[in-house]
Amino acid sequence: MSSGFLWLAASTGLLSLLTPCVFPMVPVTIAFFSSPDDRGSAGLRRAFLFGLGIVGTFTVLGLALAAVFGAAGLNRFAADPWV
């Protein structure tokens, strides 16, 4: 994988933080993971589990949809106006 693609993916991911639906959630997310009741690495552990949960959810859903519809079926599904 080229490093140019990785830089593009990382920079567009950072730019997505500025979108109107994501930007207001940044302080809420930071406050959740850095609550004053946490000691040591509890906030870091919660953030890691949160990220792992998101990755796991999308991986399982993606694999299930690919198994049911196939690769071309996912494109048809995503392009369907009813979806």
Side-chain angles (χ1 to χ4, degrees), residues 16-81:
S16 73
L17 289 174
L18 300 176
T19 59
C21 57
V22 175
F23 186 69
M25 294 305 296
V26 172
V28 173
T29 306
I30 290 172
F32 177 76
F33 292 124
S34 63
S35 66
D37 298 336
D38 290 340
R39 284 195 232 166
S41 64
L44 185 61
R45 184 176 62 244
R46 252 193 321 201
F48 178 74
L49 289 174
F50 179 77
L52 192 63
I54 291 173
V55 169
T57 300
F58 280 106
T59 300
V60 168
L61 286 174
L63 288 174
L65 286 172
V68 171
F69 296 112
L74 287 176
N75 286 335
R76 287 192 308 272
F77 179 76
D80 188 349

